[in-house]
Amino acid sequence: MMKSKNLTLILVGILLFSLLLTVIGITLPISRKSDKIQEAGNQSMLAGDAIAIAMGHYSATSLRLLQEYPSDSAAYRSLCGLLENIREHYGFQDVYTVTRNNMGYFYVLDARYVQSPNEAHPIGSSFSFDAYHKQVKQLLDDIYDGNSAGGFVQKAIPSEDGSFIVAAVPVMAEDKVLTVLCMDISLNDIQFHKLWFINFHYVSWICGTLAVLSAAALFYLHGHGRKKKQIQKGVDVTVEEEEI
């Protein structure tokens, strides 16, 4: 009886400890993901602010002309080349600019034009939000409505290649938003589930399995104990009947 109680206590301890580690293995990566997104967004904004100021100061006239008269001109190719250099330098997934008019948002510049002209969004083409989170539209609307000086989405956006976030900074000219510089920041290289040598995916799987096994062992031990008590109770009743 004493051994059975000790075994039960040990199994209960294993069950509780493994459940705790399972919860940690699941929730900690989620918390780390939020922190890493915040860190990546803040870093991109530091770069984006400086780039947007430079574009507004040196390229405002070219941008106005490209928006009014979209064309594959030397100015367009030069500015797309600038965005491509920025993309490579900072390791962004994509860099582009979008502008709003009465019809909605449309692309102006696209860094991909330099390496893959056929895959780049043509100047003047409609900017679709289908591949983006609704927070992106809210961010762009806030910038154009004067309610934001730029920012980034807090939620990862899934894609075929993984996930990313979008940061957006207004390019200003004469205190008006000329266009918005957008940066897609890939999250694929950020290891949310790893801390030093610890892989929290493995921790949650192993500890979750251990919790299930210990719970099954407790269930079996409890059932075996009840069965043993019933047998012992039957024996005691038989002995009493014989004595009578």
Side-chain angles (χ1 to χ4, degrees):
M1 183 65 71
M2 185 61 68
K3 289 183 179 181
S4 178
K5 288 183 178 180
N6 290 338
L7 182 59
T8 300
L9 290 175
I10 291 172
L11 288 173
V12 169
I14 293 173
L15 174 61
L16 294 176
F17 186 66
S18 57
L19 283 175
L20 175 63
L21 290 181
T22 301
V23 172
I24 292 174
I26 294 173
T27 58
L28 190 58
I30 296 174
S31 174
R32 281 173 53 79
K33 186 173 185 178
S34 177
D35 293 340
K36 291 296 183 180
I37 287 176
Q38 192 75 26
E39 181 181 341
N42 288 333
Q43 290 177 353
S44 67
M45 290 299 296
L46 290 174
D49 284 336
I51 296 164
I53 291 172
M55 290 181 69
H57 183 75
Y58 295 105
S59 306
T61 301
S62 296
L63 285 170
R64 283 197 188 94
L65 290 173
L66 288 172
Q67 291 173 172
E68 293 178 8
Y69 308 101
S71 63
D72 186 357
S73 61
Y76 174 73
R77 293 191 293 272
S78 176
L79 288 171
C80 286
L82 172 64
L83 295 192
E84 174 60 15
N85 291 335
I86 293 167
R87 188 195 68 78
E88 289 185 348
H89 180 76
Y90 291 102
F92 295 139
Q93 178 173 298
D94 197 9
V95 183
Y96 48 93
T97 66
V98 295
T99 302
R100 188 175 74 175
N101 59 15
N102 294 333
M103 303 296 292
Y105 289 94
F106 62 93
Y107 286 96
V108 181
L109 306 175
D110 191 341
R112 290 185 297 177
Y113 177 84
V114 176
Q115 300 292 338
S116 307
N118 294 331
E119 296 180 6
H121 296 95
I123 182 171
S125 60
S126 177
F127 181 79
S128 174
F129 291 96
D130 293 343
Y132 294 89
H133 194 269
K134 62 181 181 180
Q135 289 183 3
V136 176
K137 186 177 187 308
Q138 185 63 55
L139 175 59
L140 294 177
D141 286 342
D142 286 343
I143 290 174
Y144 265 99
D145 294 338
N147 299 323
S148 172
F152 56 92
V153 298
Q154 303 287 335
K155 186 176 180 180
I157 302 169
S159 67
E160 294 180 357
D161 301 324
S163 61
F164 65 99
I165 60 171
V166 177
V169 183
V171 177
M172 306 295 294
E174 299 177 357
D175 297 328
K176 292 183 180 180
V177 179
L178 180 60
T179 188
V180 177
L181 175 69
C182 296
M183 298 155 285
D184 292 354
I185 302 108
S186 174
L187 302 176
N188 296 343
D189 295 331
I190 302 176
Q191 301 294 329
F192 306 114
H193 61 283
K194 288 185 178 180
L195 181 63
W196 300 311
F197 60 90
I198 303 173
N199 189 318
F200 289 101
H201 284 344
Y202 292 153
V203 170
S204 59
W205 275 104
I206 293 171
C207 293
T209 302
L210 186 60
V212 171
L213 291 176
S214 58
L218 280 170
F219 181 77
Y220 171 80
L221 195 63
H222 178 70
H224 182 72
R226 288 185 60 185
K227 187 176 181 180
K228 190 174 181 180
K229 286 181 180 179
Q230 288 176 352
I231 293 173
Q232 183 63 40
K233 186 176 180 181
V235 171
D236 292 341
V237 170
T238 304
V239 171
E240 290 178 358
E241 289 178 349
E242 289 178 353
E243 289 177 351
I244 294 174

